[in-house]
Amino acid sequence: MNEVKDKLESFQIHDFQHDLISWYKHEKRDLPWRKDQDPYKIWVSEIMLQQTRVDTVIPYFNAFIGKFPTIEALATADEEEVLKAWEGLGYYSRVRNLHSAVKEVANSYAGVVPNTPEEISKLKGVGPYTKGAILSIAYNIPEPAVDGNVMRVFSRILSIWDDIAKPKTRKIFEEATYKLISKEDPSSFNQAVMELGALICTPTSPSCLLCPVREYCSAFAEGVQAELPVKSKKKKPRPLQMAAVVLYDDHGRLYIHKRPGTGLLANLWEFPNMEIKAETKESYREQVKQFIKEEYQAEAEISELTGTVEHVFSHLIWNISVFIGTLTNIPSEDLLPVTEEEMKKYAFPVSHQKIYKIYQEESKS
DNA sequence: GACGCGTGGTT
DNA sequence: TAACCAAGCGT
């Protein structure tokens, strides 16, 4: 910490800001959330961009803003439609928190996104990064917005060897950003650091020879840019054997289940599925039959194994065996019968979209 | 502070 | 190809 302070003593802050911001204004990408300074759109973009690539976000952002162009529109939208607009983006608690926070802004702040750190931080899903991003980008307030890019860029510029995977390390970078941030144009400054991280100061093989601020870069001067940032490794995801069954009745309706409101894939819809116990003698098919009977009072003819789907999460891997079941009774109300047309209103995890495709292929033949 | 929480692209 | 990565937050 004191080490960083020492480095900043001799740092040409004003020149650095100028060179970085000039580069940014020439080279910045033309992204849909950069068309205006609407705090609501900045907010939506920042939530979508959490742990998610720009190229992935762009079409979701355009569609989302098309459907919910204002705070008011999103605040009054129904949950099912909002979740559907997030389908496939992942980390679904982001959109549940966003929806809740937007309602809060509509009701308690007259529809105006608050512009103080204290107020904006109270909103669900707005943490230290998103707080700084909205305040600086939308309101031009000099707050740090420290994300992975910022830590990577400044770890190299200032040769900071702390492990950026540790939560407390973020504070070191926030302190450095308070010192370095342009008071005249904090919006461009914060975006410029992130843009530099995305385009030039990349995780592997950074393009130092194209870097507009390499003359300020401690790591480049010492040739250690490839060693930085220091980042400890994550644990490997744990594999789970699963089985899922697409149940249909004699009206051609499919039976789907809504997941609980908290935890993994909260509030998304799915085909009935279960974890398979490896140690039992029962076949997967037999376990599925028992499961749907006990869980949903459903009687069905179950097919042979029809396909497999792998679903990789951050912390889990589902290896899903897929079956098809012909219902011979009416199951519990925890299963919703839907036509394939009605199904389109509901949000499913990607793995269950793949399961549905297996069913479609199978029912063609 | 560690862990839970998605998905698709890159090396 | 397995590992790693991408504009984090809540509990």
Side-chain angles (χ1 to χ4, degrees), chain A residues 223-236:
Chain A
V224 294
Q225 65 271 23
E227 324 294 321
L228 288 166
V230 175
K231 190 176 187 180
S232 54
K233 305 197 192 247
K234 292 177 189 172
K235 288 195 306 185
K236 277 202 286 191

Side-chain angles (χ1 to χ4, degrees), chain A residues 9 20 26-27 44 49 64 89 94 102 113 185 193 198 208 211 213 217 220 232 240 243 261 290 308 319-320 351:
Chain A
E9 290 296 321
L20 181 62
H26 283 102
E27 303 295 332
V44 170
L49 285 162
F64 196 92
L89 250 193
R94 290 185 294 175
V102 159
V113 179
D185 194 351
V193 180
C208 298
C211 181
V213 292
C217 185
F220 180 72
S232 54
L240 277 183
Q290 288 177 16
T308 61
N319 292 304
I320 310 169
S351 53

Side-chain angles (χ1 to χ4, degrees), chain A residues 38 40-41 44 64-77 102 106 111:
Chain A
D38 180 353
Y40 166 66
K41 292 184 207 161
V44 170
F64 196 92
I65 294 300
K67 276 188 177 178
F68 315 112
T70 61
I71 295 265
E72 175 68 13
L74 182 55
T76 56
V102 159

Side-chain angles (χ1 to χ4, degrees), chain A residues 7 28 76 84 90 120 142 169 174 223 247 272 285 311 313 315 323 345 361:
Chain A
K7 282 169 188 160
K28 68 177 177 183
T76 56
K84 182 69 185 179
I120 205 168
T169 303
E174 282 179 348
L247 290 174
R285 186 163 167 268
H311 190 164
F313 300 86
H315 58 304
F323 298 84
K345 295 187 306 198
E361 291 303 316

Side-chain angles (χ1 to χ4, degrees), chain A residues 71-72 102 104-113:
Chain A
I71 295 265
E72 175 68 13
V102 159
E104 172 75 10
V105 170
N107 296 330
S108 302
Y109 295 97
V112 180
V113 179

